Amino acid sequence: MKRSLIADSLLPIYDKVAAGVRISEADAVTLYGSRDLHALGAMANLVRERKNGNRASYLLNRYINYSNICLLKCQFCAYRASRRDPHAFEMGIPEIVEAVRDSLGQGITEIHMVGGLHPSLDADWYLQLLRELKALDPKLHLKCFTAIEIQHLSQRVFKKPLEETLTILREAGLDSLTGGGAEIFDAGVRDQLCRGKESAEEWLHIHRTWHQMGGRSTCTMLFGHIETHEQRVDHLRHLRELQDETGGFTGFVPFAFSPDQTPLAHLRPAGGLETLRNLAVSRIYLDNVDHITAYWISMGLPLAQVALNFGVDDLHGTIMEEKVFHMAGVQTPQQQTVAALESVIREAGREPIQRDSHYEPVSVR
Ligand code: SF4
């Protein structure tokens, strides 16, 4: 997009982005308020192509949601259950191992495993699970647990300090942490949406500690509920600051809130334009995070394809079986094939590439 086509109000920000200069929080709020989606896309593409060229990646992964039984009751969560609820479920270790063994035959390189804060699974259960999964294939990357699960394991299950808990989990096979549970960092929003969940400071402390141990993780944002643009920018600021400090985030994965089946069902979900706007602003603002992922589970593959020209350079993975968003009524498929992911990438004019859990290219395992 030519500079002459950019609205005057966005030109100072466009010039910063074109020159590779970091934008401010005020700039990001201005971008969120802009209706000129094409200009946002053009700016986001400048950053995207500077960092990743024409490449668009995907991952061969399988999700494991081992249980939805959870001690907390986050308002936005349609997934959680109490033990006696009809929709409560809990997978046994043999069942999980069998599911992963099956998926290994399909070439997966990563297991992405999260669950609720289970009231009675003990330390041995978690350690045995990690060890048995690792024994299936030592090269299989185990990306497991949100920050709140790690806090639960540390405080209630292992009853050990955070770093010691992470060390024990790593020795059993944990390779990286998921970015879930960040939601929106603002304390007022968290108080309304997920009272009792870890605070922003605790989420950041868990990821900082993991990064300082040499670990990597992704980071996320749950948007499109009660948050303001300023609160989104505040969330991104925390992530950018921690990334400046540790460099441990591999990619950023925003999810649009899905209100069906939750106490917040009266809220209108973010539409396609808002989802693209959020991806584009995130790409521009998070200048120190290399990769931005379009999460097709929440936004659908057609919109994720469009996002490849709004700052996104990654379409996440094959996933194979997802429960968290689908229990909230999301109608997207449960899985994607490599052929489908490569096809939408090519159709968008990008070059498909299979990646590993750290967004590095893989060809043949
Ligand atoms: S979001 Fe996670 S911690 Fe909150 S209720 Fe759902 S499963 Fe539990």
Side-chain angles (χ1 to χ4, degrees), residues 141-313:
H141 186 102
L142 302 183
K143 181 174 185 179
C144 309
F145 310 129
T146 61
I148 188 67
E149 284 176 277
I150 293 292
Q151 183 165 288
H152 170 70
L153 293 176
S154 167
Q155 295 178 355
R156 298 194 190 94
V157 179
F158 289 82
K159 297 187 171 62
K160 292 187 187 302
L162 173 63
E163 188 167 346
E164 197 177 334
T165 302
L166 288 169
T167 301
I168 294 168
L169 291 169
R170 185 162 65 182
E171 285 169 0
L174 177 69
D175 290 304
S176 63
L177 299 186
T178 76
E183 324 311 0
I184 285 286
F185 286 141
D186 179 83
V189 171
R190 290 184 98 73
D191 197 44
Q192 287 187 62
L193 286 191
C194 50
R195 189 172 297 169
K197 204 165 195 174
E198 86 279 41
S199 65
E201 290 68 31
E202 287 167 331
W203 190 98
L204 293 161
H205 175 61
I206 289 162
H207 283 263
R208 178 184 291 108
T209 303
W210 179 245
H211 295 171
Q212 287 170 343
M213 292 167 60
R216 313 293 303 277
S217 59
T218 47
C219 51
T220 63
M221 168 200 279
L222 182 75
F223 71 97
H225 39 82
I226 60 170
E227 87 288 2
T228 63
H229 287 162
E230 286 77 7
Q231 288 162 339
R232 282 191 209 169
V233 173
D234 175 68
H235 184 93
L236 293 173
R237 178 181 62 78
H238 279 98
L239 295 178
R240 191 167 80 173
E241 286 177 0
L242 182 56
Q243 183 73 339
D244 277 344
E245 191 183 324
T246 67
F249 291 129
T250 51
F252 176 63
V253 192
F255 323 112
F257 169 57
S258 178
D260 286 355
Q261 320 293 332
T262 77
L264 302 172
H266 57 283
L267 294 180
R268 204 161 57 96
L273 295 186
E274 191 55 32
T275 299
L276 292 176
R277 181 181 289 111
N278 191 55
L279 285 162
V281 177
S282 303
R283 175 61 293 169
I284 297 163
Y285 181 84
L286 292 175
D287 61 344
N288 55 0
V289 175
D290 286 340
H291 303 284
I292 304 290
T293 289
Y295 193 56
W296 61 258
I297 283 281
S298 74
M299 65 196 287
L301 196 56
L303 188 60
Q305 181 190 39
V306 176
L308 291 171
N309 285 304
F310 284 81
V312 163
D313 66 284

Side-chain angles (χ1 to χ4, degrees), residues 70 72-74 76-77 79-80 115-117 148 183 197:
C70 186
L72 291 184
K73 286 188 178 171
C74 300
F76 56 78
C77 181
Y79 171 73
R80 63 89 50 204
L117 311 189
I148 188 67
E183 324 311 0
K197 204 165 195 174

